[in-house]
Amino acid sequence: MQDQVTEKLVDYPFVRDSIIDPAPDLARLRTDAPIHKVRLFGGGEAWLVTRYQDVRSLLGHPAFGTQYPGSIPTADVDNLAAGFMFLKDPPDHTRLRRSVTRAFTARRIAELRERAQEITDGLIATMLAKGPVVDLQEEFAYPLPISIISELLGIPPEDRGQFRGWADIVLRSVSGAAEDAGTAFMDLQRFVVKLVDAKPDGGDLLSDLARQSDQQDGLTRLEISSMAMGLLMAGYVTTASAISHGLLRLFDNPGVLDRLRTGEIEIEHVVEELLRLQDEEIGIQRIAQSDVDICGVRIKMGETVIASRVGANRDSAEFANPDAMNVKADRSPHLAFGHGIHHCLGSALARMELAVALGTLLTRIPGIRLADPPHQVEWRAEGMDVSIERLPVAW
């Protein structure tokens, strides 16, 4: 079975020269074999799975979890990250997810959509007043999702500036800022714990969870605090990146952009293709909880396997002309939000934010365009992170 593994250990992540498209090495590996052993940037090793059906199978496989076998991280007020839901396995994951699922109902998303539209309109009004050239990252892509998260969590308006300041340092820190990020993370944790201790006082998610904390299967205050931090980590920078990467891809596809502006195609269909094609992440890591065979290879207990959503979403065996935008194609479901029990809980919220953000931008500023040539857009690929630093736009 091991004959499907390439002999040469591949360095991962790959060296890349594009902000919005994956390195050619990904397609080559996907064609060569269904699974490869790779050397990670930190010096460790992992298995990389790149094909659509294999990635779906891996993410839905009960033998793969988020923690090393036998380890049960314990959260406390100084380490809320240990309680993140997306780092838990059943039965803890099942209980945590069930408690928060009701916060993402269609009704709640519809309510948040109204606020998202109001916030988007306000941000665009500020952009227009500052224009005709602004940095979309600072003026729009980052403020929108942090404002929506503040609404979701019930952060008082007077505290949102400080909250965003800490979140920016923690989630957008660059090399050399580790000490600042550590201090900001501790400050942010203390803020979240204090916020949760003051609940319930409203109709937000944290208040809802706090009201049910004394019920059977209700979350403790510490678990609610970890949930709040996890939602922040999962929903801030990722959504901001999806906005800016999506706009860049639309600029690179003027035909789609023109049809969207004229109303020939719906923004929701465009968002699905932007999500399928988005390439600003490395993959979903899973750890074998026992010896298990996948893709014709024996994975030993404790070994790490990376499911490449980017590789899966551009697999020609699943998607015709996979590297092109085709907003009217009857395609298979993309895996941008994962698959299985850890499928992104906030996927409906993210879709809504993208539709409101991009749809409103292109309606209110129909002449929006890159202010500089594409090759001058500032971006960095550092470790497992690929991000746009500045995105100057004009109209």
Side-chain angles (χ1 to χ4, degrees):
M1 292 193 297
Q2 301 289 125
D3 59 353
Q4 297 194 62
V5 183
T6 53
E7 294 181 1
K8 182 180 178 182
L9 203 61
V10 179
D11 288 330
Y12 188 81
F14 310 118
V15 176
R16 55 188 296 150
D17 58 9
S18 171
I19 313 174
I20 60 174
D21 291 313
D25 286 340
L26 180 62
R28 178 179 59 78
L29 289 186
R30 186 177 54 227
T31 300
D32 287 349
I35 188 168
H36 296 264
K37 197 70 170 290
V38 295
R39 182 188 299 109
L40 303 179
F41 74 97
E45 295 182 0
W47 295 95
L48 179 67
V49 177
T50 58
R51 297 178 183 177
Y52 182 90
Q53 293 297 337
D54 294 329
V55 167
R56 274 180 60 94
S57 178
L58 169 63
L59 295 178
H61 203 301
F64 291 94
T66 61
Q67 299 291 339
Y68 192 83
S71 67
I72 306 177
T74 302
D76 56 44
V77 294
D78 293 322
N79 184 21
L80 295 179
F84 287 172
M85 181 178 65
F86 52 83
L87 297 180
K88 294 288 187 180
D89 292 322
D92 284 343
H93 174 267
T94 306
R95 180 177 62 86
L96 292 170
R97 188 176 178 104
R98 183 170 55 242
S99 296
V100 77
T101 295
R102 54 183 163 268
F104 295 94
T105 61
R107 178 179 177 180
R108 182 60 174 143
I109 298 301
E111 293 171 352
L112 284 171
R113 187 184 188 104
E114 294 181 8
R115 284 295 295 134
Q117 188 63 64
E118 293 173 1
I119 295 167
T120 298
D121 290 340
L123 291 172
I124 291 177
T126 301
M127 285 174 56
L128 290 171
K130 289 184 177 181
V133 178
V134 300
D135 177 9
L136 188 86
Q137 292 291 85
E138 288 301 317
E139 301 297 334
F140 188 79
Y142 283 124
L144 177 58
I146 199 69
S147 296
I148 298 301
I149 289 174
S150 296
E151 294 279 337
L152 180 69
L153 301 181
I155 297 173
E158 62 271 19
D159 292 333
R160 292 180 183 179
Q162 188 176 44
F163 174 68
R164 185 192 170 188
W166 288 324
D168 280 349
I169 295 173
V170 172
L171 299 174
R172 299 168 55 192
S173 60
V174 297
S175 294
E179 183 175 347
D180 290 342
T183 300
F185 188 77
M186 295 302 295
D187 290 339
L188 184 57
Q189 286 188 128
R190 284 190 285 268
F191 171 82
V192 170
V193 170
K194 184 178 179 181
L195 178 70
V196 171
D197 284 343
K199 300 291 181 180
D201 63 357
D204 56 272
L205 170 60
L206 300 189
S207 291
D208 183 43
L209 292 174
R211 278 189 289 269
Q212 300 175 54
S213 60
D214 295 331
Q215 300 179 14
Q216 185 177 6
D217 285 340
L219 305 187
T220 66
R221 295 278 174 162
L222 184 60
E223 288 174 329
I224 296 172
S225 297
S226 287
M227 183 70 69
M229 283 289 288
L231 290 171
L232 168 65
M233 301 287 280
Y236 177 24
V237 174
T238 52
T239 303
S241 294
I243 292 171
S244 53
H245 281 81
L247 195 60
L248 269 180
R249 191 172 300 283
L250 286 173
F251 288 151
D252 198 44
N253 288 267
V256 174
L257 190 56
D258 289 343
R259 291 161 63 201
L260 182 58
R261 283 170 169 158
T262 60
E264 182 182 344
I265 51 180
E266 297 180 5
I267 185 62
E268 286 76 13
H269 294 164
V270 173
V271 163
E272 291 307 306
E273 271 295 88
L274 293 177
L275 287 168
R276 183 183 68 82
L277 290 168
Q278 186 175 353
D279 177 41
E280 44 75 41
E281 53 80 30
I282 298 302
I284 302 174
Q285 294 195 13
R286 292 289 181 262
I287 300 174
Q289 305 299 298
S290 60
D291 290 356
V292 57
D293 294 334
I294 62 167
C295 303
V297 171
R298 170 59 57 93
I299 308 297
K300 296 180 181 179
M301 183 178 70
E303 288 190 312
T304 297
V305 182
I306 300 174
S308 173
R309 288 175 291 184
V310 175
N313 286 336
R314 292 175 182 247
D315 186 353
S316 60
E318 196 69 31
F319 303 101
N321 197 10
D323 295 322
M325 286 192 70
N326 189 343
V327 296
K328 289 196 173 183
D330 184 17
R331 293 193 187 278
S332 300
H334 62 71
L335 301 179
F337 294 113
H339 179 67
I341 64 172
H342 288 283
H343 179 271
C344 178
L345 186 62
S347 58
L349 179 62
R351 285 182 164 102
M352 177 273 286
E353 289 186 57
L354 286 173
V356 170
L358 296 175
T360 307
L361 265 179
L362 298 174
T363 300
R364 291 280 304 279
I365 315 179
I368 192 170
R369 66 186 189 280
L370 280 177
D372 301 319
H375 69 274
Q376 292 184 9
V377 174
E378 297 179 22
W379 63 287
R380 62 183 172 87
E382 194 169 62
M384 290 291 188
D385 180 51
V386 180
S387 61
I388 296 173
E389 296 287 277
R390 295 181 67 253
L391 187 61
V393 296
W395 51 86

